[in-house]
Amino acid sequence: MQFSELGIIEPIIQALDEQGYVEPTPIQEQAIPPLLAGADMLGCAQTGTGKTAAFSIPILQKLAAKSENPDIPQNPKSRNAMKRKIKALVVAPTRELAIQIRECFDAYGTHLNLKTLVIFGGVGQGEQTKGLERGVDILVATPGRLLDLMGQGFINLNEVEFFVLDEADRMLDMGMFPDVKRIISHLPRERQNMFFSATMPAEITKLINSILRDPVKIEIKPEVTPLEVIDQEVYFVDSKNKTNLLVDYLNGHDYDSVLVFSRTKHGANKITQDLEKRGIKSAAIHGNKSQNLRQRALSDFKERKVRILVATDIAERGLDIKELSHVINYNLPEVPETYVHRIGRTGRAGLGGTAVSFCDASEKPLLSDIEWLIGRTLPEVTDHPYPMQNTEPEVKKAPPPRFKRFKR
């Protein structure tokens, strides 16, 4: 099947051709027709399945049809003079994902007279508020900045007709659900809803049942699961030697691009600093980095100016990275499903790759959970210079007691 068979208008087909897209992915093929017909949608799909185009194309087409109303001036300057009002709202958990969604709307809607704006925290709000004041058709936002600008009176959601919640499970993990519920409370009752999530925890299911109206349900599983195309292995190592092992591994293996996962932001910074001290160029990306630094690190990694990117799980969702050769779990994730998401970064589109995990004594229960989930035991690499010596988890010493000072 081709995009032209899905009832998509010619300006969008032309934009898709210019992007080199001819055949839709499974989620696009299944989602676009019912969304064009006005149905609510619940999509269960992992990152990388093409779900952004699945919801952005129908939104663009339906908004374009409304813009052709003869009561609305077609001259762009005239339309801009009549301040555009937000008709579509897309909420995403991270700045990187929000930016990429905006880029997709811009690419597919390049021949349409529609305006898209992205807003997110971590940067000054000046340019964002100027864009809002000029008028916007489609707003892509992270929850915190959206609520902030709503509170300041820059954003009114009274005329939203299309609402998309992307990566709902990641928002739940990041503690964003109270903000999401507040945002939903400000939306009109009559609207078209689209929810997308890689997993469906109970709290997400409860929200979905309260919001969606007889939704079309789509579940997309990769044609080839990451476990079948990725070489996986585990190294048992003491926590204090993980950086030494990482350096040894990088110096002893050929790689094109490596994504290293750290459990914490501080850990990501320290790994990067330690690698730099050993003469290995790398970059860190996490929530405490400024937007400019995050974008620069991601751009350098994509262009292979830097071949090692150290990230936290919160930062990794939404990173559009193709043909990644290696994923290294410097720290094992506390949620076993996260392991599958991580290593899937190197198995996209059926491509092979290598996933390496470092496991210290305290992480053995996490490794057991992962192996139970994937139904196999990870092969152990024993031939390395830093084998585990401490088989029992390290017990942290209690801090010395603090004595209150009493006034005499």
Side-chain angles (χ1 to χ4, degrees):
M1 176 175 284
Q2 296 187 338
F3 279 108
S4 57
E5 301 176 65
L6 296 178
I8 300 172
I9 58 177
E10 182 56 34
I12 298 179
I13 292 292
Q14 182 182 348
L16 291 170
D17 287 341
E18 291 168 358
Q19 296 291 319
Y21 301 144
V22 178
E23 296 183 355
T25 66
I27 194 170
Q28 293 160 7
E29 183 178 336
Q30 295 180 44
I32 289 174
L35 288 178
L36 286 174
D40 279 9
M41 178 156 292
L42 171 59
C44 188
Q46 292 183 339
T47 300
T49 54
K51 63 180 181 297
T52 303
F55 64 74
S56 61
I57 290 173
I59 289 173
L60 286 166
Q61 180 155 324
K62 297 183 82 170
L63 288 177
K66 291 179 180 293
S67 71
E68 293 174 359
N69 188 319
D71 294 333
I72 300 176
Q74 291 304 299
N75 185 302
K77 292 184 178 179
S78 299
R79 283 208 68 204
N80 287 338
M82 304 171 54
K83 181 177 176 181
R84 301 166 186 247
K85 297 181 180 179
I86 300 167
K87 296 294 185 181
L89 173 65
V90 183
V91 179
T94 66
R95 292 174 279 191
E96 286 77 19
L97 181 56
I99 290 170
Q100 289 172 22
I101 292 171
R102 192 280 309 276
E103 291 173 347
C104 288
F105 272 104
D106 286 345
Y108 308 145
T110 187
H111 302 297
L112 302 174
N113 183 29
L114 296 170
K115 278 196 172 183
T116 303
L117 178 71
V118 61
I119 63 172
F120 44 80
V123 297
Q125 68 178 42
E127 289 302 314
Q128 297 175 8
T129 55
K130 288 178 183 177
L132 290 165
E133 289 170 350
R134 287 191 292 266
V136 177
D137 298 299
I138 303 161
L139 181 64
V140 185
T142 54
R145 178 54 60 92
L146 175 58
L147 285 171
D148 185 13
L149 295 183
M150 287 170 61
Q152 296 181 50
F154 288 106
I155 295 176
N156 187 313
L157 302 180
N158 289 345
E159 299 197 33
V160 169
E161 300 177 14
F162 308 96
F163 173 58
V164 181
L165 187 67
D166 198 13
E167 303 282 14
D169 55 346
R170 180 58 57 184
M171 293 190 199
L172 180 62
D173 291 344
M174 296 168 67
M176 293 180 172
F177 251 43
D179 286 350
V180 170
K181 291 175 181 177
R182 285 178 59 198
I183 293 165
I184 292 174
S185 71
H186 287 272
L187 295 172
R189 292 181 62 85
E190 293 299 320
R191 62 181 188 272
Q192 186 176 6
N193 302 289
M194 302 159 226
F195 279 27
F196 294 90
S197 184
T199 58
M200 292 291 167
E203 191 169 349
I204 290 178
T205 302
K206 183 179 178 181
L207 179 65
I208 287 168
N209 292 336
S210 68
I211 300 299
L212 300 186
R213 299 164 298 181
D214 192 23
V216 173
K217 297 180 180 179
I218 297 176
E219 183 175 3
I220 300 297
K221 295 181 179 178
E223 293 182 7
V224 182
T225 63
L227 302 182
E228 294 172 350
V229 297
I230 299 171
D231 294 327
Q232 302 171 68
E233 53 193 24
V234 61
Y235 289 69
F236 289 101
V237 57
D238 295 328
S239 59
K240 65 181 180 181
N241 279 328
K242 281 190 175 184
T243 300
N244 292 329
L245 180 58
L246 178 61
V247 171
D248 183 79
Y249 184 91
L250 294 173
N251 286 333
H253 291 77
D254 293 328
Y255 56 85
D256 176 64
S257 52
V258 183
L259 185 56
V260 180
F261 282 105
S262 167
R263 185 175 296 132
T264 66
K265 302 167 189 175
H266 172 74
N269 285 335
K270 189 173 189 308
I271 293 168
T272 303
Q273 292 166 3
D274 289 342
L275 289 178
E276 293 286 345
K277 290 177 182 177
R278 310 285 186 93
I280 300 175
K281 192 174 183 180
S282 62
I285 184 167
H286 54 68
N288 282 354
K289 292 280 186 179
S290 71
Q291 182 60 27
N292 288 338
L293 289 176
R294 287 157 69 106
Q295 287 301 112
R296 186 187 310 161
L298 186 57
S299 176
D300 287 347
F301 187 66
K302 287 181 177 181
E303 296 172 7
R304 300 298 187 260
K305 294 177 182 177
V306 173
R307 293 198 296 154
I308 301 167
L309 186 67
V310 186
T312 58
D313 285 308
I314 287 178
E316 70 86 19
R317 189 73 71 92
L319 299 182
D320 185 15
I321 302 169
K322 297 179 176 64
E323 300 181 4
L324 183 65
S325 68
H326 287 69
V327 167
I328 297 179
N329 294 302
Y330 187 93
N331 303 115
L332 289 181
E334 296 181 352
V335 178
E337 287 83 1
T338 300
Y339 173 82
V340 178
H341 289 309
R342 286 182 178 183
I343 70 170
R345 286 289 173 186
T346 186
R348 284 188 171 186
L351 298 173
T354 301
V356 176
S357 296
F358 295 169
C359 180
D360 62 41
S362 68
E363 294 173 309
K364 284 185 176 181
L366 302 179
L367 178 63
S368 296
D369 291 342
I370 291 168
E371 291 177 334
W372 181 86
L373 176 68
I374 65 177
R376 67 176 67 180
T377 300
L378 295 185
E380 178 186 353
V381 177
T382 57
D383 185 19
H384 67 88
Y386 302 100
M388 181 185 291
Q389 302 296 321
N390 300 319
T391 56
E392 295 297 327
E394 297 178 10
V395 179
K396 294 183 179 180
K397 295 181 180 180
R402 292 185 177 181
F403 297 96
K404 294 182 178 179
R405 293 189 177 186
F406 294 95
K407 292 183 179 179
R408 295 183 179 179

